[in-house]
Amino acid sequence: MKLAPTIRTYIENHMREHGFKLQQFSDITGVNVGTLSASLKGSRPMAVSQLDQITAGMGLEKGYFYEMYSVEFFIEAAPHWRRLKPFLHRCAEFNKLACIQKVVIQVTDDRSYISELFEMAEEFNKNGLSEAALILYECVAEGEKYQHSERLALCQYRIFLLHKTIKQFDNLSAAIKFEPYIEKLDEEIQLDAIKDLANVYNTIHHWDKVDKLADALERKVDFQLELQSRRRKNIKRVAFYPIFTYKAYANLLKASVCEARKEFEKALEYTDIYAKVVEVSNPTEEEQILIDRFKGWAEGNRYLYRLSSGKHEVIEYYLDYLESNPHEILIAFVNIVQSANQHLLNIDFALDRFDSYITDFNTERHLEGTYNQQMLNHRYIRFYYELAKYRLHQQKYMMGIEALLTSLELASSSRDDLMSIKLIDLYGKFRSQATIEQEELYTGLITNRSIENYI
């Protein structure tokens, strides 16, 4: 059986092919000649920093030998943390994720490295090396799956957040998997965890679940606020935001549930609550930013709930508010057009006033992958769906079907089955009004996106 080549044989072959003596190769790579000689003889393990110097001296890409290095030094030989730590760092920097996966699966068999791997995952996560951090968190969680530790719960929380950030996010399964670990987290971190979990259920419209989580969040916040009032003021905060803002957010969630249930008066009551909660004395700069944010949300949502309940006279005030808060325009127009469809309003003046912003929606859409992008995608899908219904009701068929096809393209690429079904059903009702080009585009979407089963 032919033996697999080693890093050492690659180096020796390279030196032989180029006619390099040991001293010459040492000068080229910058590796001490004695160290180089010992590494080639196998009497001294090669450090990853030296391997990088040799790789550069041979004119090869960074990390060229990492796959072989991981086998030779961490799989075929007993791993040592002093050598493993810098190797994992280099792999993360050079995006050699397969090497990280292979090595950590091997070393987590020995639970003595669990603590070090967790600390490294935290470091990677902090420094934006998200994919490398996710691999480590998942391996640590697997290594501790029979433990009931806070570290395991924190691992599961980090995995939950990272999946939202860097992977196509299966909202429901991720939420279900993470939820049992919340109570094991630090009590302040639980505030962030419940907020993040509620946001996921909010996105997939599990309103009963959002309501329960909002109640749980408010209970835990009240306990923390009581605890905070009895503590020394210089104790470091663990939660990401000032504690009082979580109480405001709990009521913001409750308002969103009432909105979904069309209980607009009740939604206004919760809006008044969270606007009052953030009225704190002597706020810090951080607190003032958040106070202004909640006050802004309260103002916009009051217009929204009044408009949705049929008080159409507020629309001009709502549009003036949006002029000063352009980041709210997309979600606001989802609701404005939806309200127009429900109450048979003519909102052409509003669409004309914000035409330049709406035109920009076409350049910003087609976002895929991460949780935040999926949320934004869902808003685009809903906007174009509502706009299609609005234009079709006006008998502006070409404009309506164009908006419908835009929504369908986004829904199918985002794997939003529910919206795809709604859009296909709507198209079926107005298919006879489509142009030849629109019919061809529709057929292409159905065929290329594999959504013909919805018909």
Side-chain angles (χ1 to χ4, degrees):
M1 184 176 70
K2 187 176 180 181
L3 295 174
T6 63
I7 296 173
R8 185 170 63 185
T9 59
Y10 269 97
I11 296 170
E12 288 171 341
N13 289 339
H14 179 84
M15 291 174 61
R16 190 162 41 251
E17 287 168 8
H18 290 80
F20 292 145
K21 300 294 184 184
L22 197 61
Q23 184 61 58
Q24 288 176 290
F25 194 59
S26 171
D27 293 339
I28 291 168
T29 60
V31 179
N32 175 275
V33 67
T35 302
L36 186 60
S37 175
S39 295
L40 291 176
K41 289 176 182 176
S43 58
R44 178 187 292 182
M46 188 183 299
V48 70
S49 58
Q50 294 161 355
L51 179 64
D52 288 340
Q53 289 176 270
I54 291 168
T55 303
M58 293 172 68
L60 301 171
E61 65 181 65
K62 291 178 179 179
Y64 182 86
F65 290 114
Y66 281 10
E67 186 76 26
M68 297 172 67
Y69 190 85
S70 65
V71 173
E72 291 180 31
F73 289 91
F74 305 120
I75 295 175
E76 293 179 349
H80 192 287
W81 184 249
R82 189 166 51 85
R83 187 167 294 107
L84 178 59
K85 182 178 179 180
F87 177 69
L88 292 175
H89 269 283
R90 295 283 205 215
C91 287
E93 289 169 16
F94 300 153
N95 204 36
K96 298 288 184 180
L97 302 178
C99 290
I100 296 176
Q101 186 83 52
K102 182 183 289 187
V103 170
V104 296
I105 286 174
Q106 182 76 12
V107 301
T108 46
D109 287 342
D110 179 357
R111 293 197 69 258
S112 63
Y113 287 120
I114 292 290
S115 179
E116 286 85 353
L117 288 171
F118 176 75
E119 292 303 323
M120 180 172 282
E122 293 280 80
E123 183 183 342
F124 285 171
N125 192 29
K126 183 179 178 181
N127 294 330
L129 299 169
S130 302
E131 292 184 89
L134 180 58
I135 292 170
L136 297 188
Y137 283 130
E138 287 178 335
C139 284
V140 171
E142 180 63 23
E144 291 209 316
K145 65 182 177 181
Y146 299 115
Q147 309 297 312
H148 300 284
S149 66
E150 183 180 333
R151 183 165 63 198
L152 173 59
L154 193 54
C155 260
Q156 293 292 355
Y157 182 36
R158 299 281 194 259
I159 291 166
F160 174 75
L161 294 176
L162 286 168
H163 271 283
K164 290 198 303 180
T165 307
I166 64 178
K167 289 196 171 187
Q168 188 72 29
F169 190 55
D170 184 344
N171 297 312
L172 185 57
S173 66
I176 291 169
K177 184 176 180 181
F178 167 59
E179 191 168 353
Y181 294 96
I182 287 180
E183 294 296 329
K184 299 292 183 185
L185 292 168
D186 175 275
E187 288 182 342
E188 281 192 35
I189 295 177
Q190 286 181 35
L191 305 181
D192 289 304
I194 294 171
K195 170 186 68 69
D196 292 328
L197 192 63
N199 285 341
V200 169
Y201 282 116
N202 202 342
T203 304
I204 56 180
H205 301 169
H206 280 222
W207 304 118
D208 288 348
K209 198 70 180 176
V210 176
D211 206 17
K212 287 178 182 176
L213 287 167
D215 283 338
L217 180 58
E218 189 161 30
R219 283 196 306 273
K220 288 179 181 292
V221 174
D222 287 341
F223 176 77
Q224 288 298 318
L225 288 171
E226 175 63 25
L227 204 60
Q228 195 177 60
S229 68
R230 290 185 269 135
R231 281 178 176 167
R232 287 178 287 115
K233 296 205 172 181
N234 57 354
I235 292 177
K236 186 178 178 182
R237 189 180 81 216
V238 177
F240 191 82
Y241 298 105
I243 301 298
F244 73 91
T245 62
Y246 293 92
K247 186 175 181 69
Y249 197 79
N251 284 280
L252 177 64
L253 289 170
K254 290 177 184 180
S256 71
V257 172
C258 292
E259 177 197 353
R261 294 171 175 168
K262 303 192 184 307
E263 299 170 350
F264 300 114
E265 289 303 318
K266 205 168 180 183
L268 283 166
E269 290 174 17
Y270 284 121
T271 301
D272 290 341
I273 291 172
Y274 70 73
K276 189 173 182 179
V277 164
V278 295
E279 291 177 353
V280 298
S281 58
N282 302 317
T284 64
E285 183 178 348
E286 177 195 20
E287 289 171 343
Q288 189 61 57
I289 290 169
L290 294 167
I291 289 166
D292 292 342
R293 189 177 300 169
F294 275 101
K295 293 284 189 183
W297 286 338
E299 182 183 357
N301 285 335
R302 286 188 183 111
Y303 293 134
L304 166 62
Y305 301 146
R306 286 172 183 147
L307 177 64
S308 299
S309 63
K311 297 174 182 174
H312 310 139
E313 65 277 6
V314 305
I315 191 166
E316 288 289 357
Y317 299 104
Y318 197 10
L319 297 177
D320 290 342
Y321 164 81
L322 294 175
E323 289 277 14
S324 303
N325 297 273
H327 56 284
E328 299 284 340
I329 289 172
L330 173 58
I331 187 60
F333 265 85
V334 171
N335 294 306
I336 289 170
V337 184
Q338 185 179 49
S339 183
N341 289 331
Q342 288 172 346
H343 300 286
L344 301 179
L345 304 177
N346 186 310
I347 56 161
D348 284 357
F349 69 97
L351 293 168
D352 290 341
R353 179 172 171 180
F354 285 86
D355 180 64
S356 61
Y357 291 97
I358 292 168
T359 301
D360 285 343
F361 292 170
N362 284 298
T363 61
E364 294 171 1
R365 59 192 175 87
H366 295 294
L367 299 164
E368 299 176 1
T370 71
Y371 172 68
N372 288 336
Q373 288 171 331
Q374 286 180 63
M375 285 184 68
L376 191 55
N377 243 0
H378 185 68
R379 288 173 183 171
Y380 286 129
I381 294 165
R382 285 185 58 206
F383 170 74
Y384 285 111
Y385 171 69
E386 294 295 341
L387 183 62
K389 289 202 301 183
Y390 177 74
R391 292 304 188 194
L392 291 169
H393 176 74
Q394 291 181 312
Q395 298 184 355
K396 295 180 180 179
Y397 298 119
M398 189 167 181
M399 295 172 70
I401 292 173
E402 183 181 337
L404 188 156
L405 292 172
T406 298
S407 186
L408 180 60
E409 183 181 2
L410 282 166
S412 57
S413 65
S414 301
R415 300 183 181 90
D416 191 329
D417 294 350
L418 181 59
M419 285 303 300
S420 292
I421 292 167
K422 286 184 176 181
L423 287 156
I424 290 168
D425 181 59
L426 184 61
Y427 186 84
K429 293 174 183 176
F430 293 92
R431 192 168 197 160
S432 62
Q433 303 296 333
T435 65
I436 294 171
E437 291 80 7
Q438 287 173 332
E439 176 65 19
E440 288 175 351
L441 181 54
Y442 173 79
T443 303
L445 284 171
I446 295 295
T447 304
N448 297 334
R449 299 295 185 181
S450 301
I451 56 177
E452 62 269 20
N453 291 334
Y454 302 154
I455 302 174

